[in-house]
Amino acid sequence: MFYPLSAFIAYRYAKSNKASQTSFVSFINRFSVAGIALGLMALIIVVSVMNGLEGQLKQRILGIVPHIEVTKTPIISESEITKTPIISENPSRTSNAITETPTQTAEKTQTVTLKEISETPIKGVVATMAYREAEAVVQSRSDLRGVQVHGVQPEVMIEHTLVASHMEQGRFSDLTEGSFAAIIGRSLAIKLEARVGDRLRVMVAGASVYTPFGRMPSQRLVTVVGVFDMGSQMDDKVMYMNLKDVNRLMRDPKGREQSLRLFLNDAFNYQAVVSALTDRVGVSVNNMKTWRERQGPLFDAVKMEKNMMTLMLLLIIAVAAFNIVSALVMVVTEKQGDIAVLQTQGMLPSSVMWIFVLNGLFNGIKGAGIGLVLGVVITLQLNNILDLIGSPLALAADGRGLPIEMDVVQIAGIALLSLLLCVLASVYPARKAMKIAPSQALQNE
C-alpha cells in the first residue's frame, strides 16, 4: 500500500455500501453527504448573486457620488513664543529684564493647495479633478425639484467615470465653458418632463444677490444637452454642469471655494487613501468628504444582509455535517469487534481515531465536491433557469437578468470551511472509538 492503513479503512467505510454497513447507517451517511452538497450549492448561488447586486450598487451609485472630496486645509506649524518685556521689581536694577512668557503665543498656518494635493502620487488614486457641488432647485414648465449641481471638468469625466458611458443622449464634451449647458438623469428628465434642448431655471440658495425686491437666490437658465441613465437612486438628484459655469452661478468666478475630487480604482479602499492624505500630505480629516458619509448606510445594510444569509446557509451545512456524528457513532458501535481485533494486532489508538476522522473528511469531500460542481454550474446558468421556469428577474445594468459575480477565493474558502466542519463533527466518535477496550469488546462478540 502506498497510503496509510487508517486512510484505507476510512475510505472503505466512507463508501457506505450495504455490504460493509447496515442500510440505516448507509442512509444516514448518504443523507449527511446530500445535506452538505445542497447547503454548499445554495451558499455558492446566494453569495454570487449578493456579490453581483453589491457590484451593481457600487457601479450605479458610486459612479455618480464623488469617492473623496478634498477642500483647502490649513496646517498649524510650530507656535512662536512672543517675548514680553518685564520691568524688574528690584529698584537697584536699572535695566529692564526681557523674559519669555508663554502667556501670548502666535501660531503660523500654511495652506495645502489643491494643486499640491493633485500632484502628490497616492496609491489607489487614478485621477483628480477640480470640482464644485451646490444644492439647487431646478424648475421646468411643469415641475420643481431639488438637485445637487456638480461642477465638473468634462474631459476628466469622459475618461474616468461610468456616467460618460451610460449616456442616452448627448455627451459630456457638450458642457463647454460659458454655454450654461447641463446633463441630467433620465429619472429627473421624466419628472421635469424635460428633453434635450429644453431650458431649465436653476436657483442656488447658497449664493444670493440683493435686488430692489430684497435678497434673491442666484439663478440662471440652463440648456439640457444630455441625459444619462445609471439606473440608480441618484439619477433624479444630480445635474452636471461645467465647473466654470457653476462658479459663476455661485458668484465665485475665480473658483476660490472649489474643491478637489479624487477618483479611486476601488471605492471600497477609500480608507487607505484617507490615511495617506492625512499622514503624507497633511490634509485634515475635517476637510475631506468620502462616499460613506452619503451612501455608507446603504452599503452597510447590503453587507449585513449578505453576512446574515451566509451565516444562515453555513448553519445548514453545519447541521448536515453533524449528521456525520450520528452515522459515525453507529459505525463505532457496530464495529467494536473489528476495532478490538485491529488493536490486538498492534494498531495504535491514535490510528483508530484517524480512521473515523478521515471517514468524516472523505464524506465531507464527497459532499463539498458535489455541492461545488452543482453550485458553480447552476450559478452560471441561473438566468437561463429563471427564464425556463418563467420567472425572469431584470436587475442587472443591461436588464438581462440577475447580476452574478463569482469570487474564486470566496468559494474556495466556503468549501474549505465545509470540510473543516465535517472534520470537527468526526472528532467525538473518533475519540470514542479510540477509547474502546479490546478485552471488553471481544467478550461481547
Side-chain angles (χ1 to χ4, degrees), residues 371-400:
L372 186 63
V373 172
L374 290 178
V376 171
V377 171
I378 293 177
T379 300
L380 294 176
Q381 300 297 324
L382 185 58
N383 288 317
N384 295 331
I385 294 173
L386 291 175
D387 290 337
L388 185 63
I389 63 178
S391 299
L393 296 174
L395 298 178
D398 54 1
R400 297 181 182 177

Side-chain angles (χ1 to χ4, degrees), residues 328-329 331-341 343-344 347 349 352 356 429-442 444:
L328 289 181
V329 167
V331 171
V332 170
T333 304
E334 181 185 358
K335 302 294 183 180
Q336 284 189 5
D338 296 345
I339 295 171
V341 171
Q343 288 180 335
T344 57
M347 178 172 281
V352 174
F356 295 95
R431 289 181 63 86
K432 185 177 179 180
M434 182 180 66
K435 294 178 181 180
I436 291 177
S439 58
Q440 185 178 359
L442 291 175
N444 298 327

Side-chain angles (χ1 to χ4, degrees), residues 56-57 59-62 64-65 146 148 185 187-188 191 228-238 291 294-299 302:
Q56 286 294 309
L57 286 176
Q59 173 183 341
R60 295 178 181 183
I61 296 178
L62 300 187
I64 297 177
V65 176
Q148 298 172 357
S187 300
L188 182 61
K191 292 178 180 179
F228 68 89
D229 185 13
M230 291 288 289
S232 74
Q233 62 182 8
M234 298 297 295
D235 285 10
D236 62 343
K237 299 178 177 63
V238 173
W291 62 266
R294 301 178 182 179
Q295 303 298 331
L298 174 62
F299 285 91
V302 172

Side-chain angles (χ1 to χ4, degrees), residues 124-362:
V125 178
V126 295
T128 59
M129 176 184 71
Y131 172 79
R132 187 160 193 170
E133 183 177 326
E135 300 288 337
V137 174
V138 179
Q139 182 183 19
S140 68
R141 283 180 261 180
S142 61
D143 204 351
L144 189 72
R145 294 282 172 175
V147 297
Q148 298 172 357
V149 178
H150 290 191
V152 299
Q153 295 176 332
E155 61 278 4
V156 181
M157 294 292 291
I158 293 173
E159 187 175 355
H160 297 287
T161 61
L162 291 173
V163 182
S165 59
H166 287 77
M167 296 293 296
E168 284 193 346
Q169 294 176 293
R171 53 188 182 274
F172 270 88
S173 57
D174 296 331
L175 299 180
T176 56
E177 181 182 349
S179 64
F180 283 93
I183 294 176
I184 60 177
R186 182 173 179 270
S187 300
L188 182 61
I190 293 174
K191 292 178 180 179
L192 294 177
E193 298 181 5
R195 300 178 178 83
V196 173
D198 290 352
R199 305 193 75 183
L200 306 175
R201 183 176 299 275
V202 179
M203 295 172 283
V204 182
S208 55
V209 293
Y210 289 96
T211 68
F213 302 99
R215 190 172 181 177
M216 300 292 291
S218 177
Q219 54 184 299
R220 187 83 187 206
L221 288 175
V222 300
T223 304
V224 178
V225 295
V227 176
F228 68 89
D229 185 13
M230 291 288 289
S232 74
Q233 62 182 8
M234 298 297 295
D235 285 10
D236 62 343
K237 299 178 177 63
V238 173
M239 169 184 287
Y240 290 104
M241 294 179 61
N242 189 285
L243 177 63
K244 300 293 184 181
D245 294 344
V246 174
N247 285 334
R248 292 191 183 96
L249 182 63
M250 296 296 295
R251 305 292 177 180
D252 181 22
K254 294 185 179 180
R256 295 186 180 91
E257 299 298 326
Q258 68 187 23
S259 57
L260 185 70
R261 177 172 176 175
L262 276 61
F263 297 90
L264 310 184
N265 55 4
D266 186 359
F268 285 174
N269 293 332
Y270 72 98
Q271 195 61 51
V273 178
V274 170
S275 300
L277 287 172
T278 54
D279 297 339
R280 292 175 50 194
V281 186
V283 180
S284 173
V285 177
N286 297 327
N287 293 86
M288 283 186 286
K289 298 178 182 178
T290 65
W291 62 266
R292 280 200 59 84
E293 297 179 13
R294 301 178 182 179
Q295 303 298 331
L298 174 62
F299 285 91
D300 288 341
V302 172
K303 184 177 181 180
M304 182 184 68
E305 184 178 357
K306 183 172 73 171
N307 292 339
M308 293 305 297
M309 291 292 294
T310 302
L311 178 60
M312 182 182 69
L313 294 174
L314 280 176
L315 290 176
I316 294 176
I317 297 175
V319 170
F322 280 95
N323 283 332
I324 296 175
V325 176
S326 58
L328 289 181
V329 167
M330 285 187 285
V331 171
V332 170
T333 304
E334 181 185 358
K335 302 294 183 180
Q336 284 189 5
D338 296 345
I339 295 171
V341 171
L342 290 173
Q343 288 180 335
T344 57
Q345 291 180 349
M347 178 172 281
L348 298 175
S350 59
S351 299
V352 174
M353 183 187 73
W354 276 109
I355 290 175
F356 295 95
V357 171
L358 292 174
N359 187 7
L361 178 61
F362 290 153

Side-chain angles (χ1 to χ4, degrees), residues 44-56:
I44 291 174
I45 295 172
V46 170
V47 169
S48 299
V49 173
M50 293 296 293
N51 287 340
L53 291 174
E54 187 178 42
Q56 286 294 309

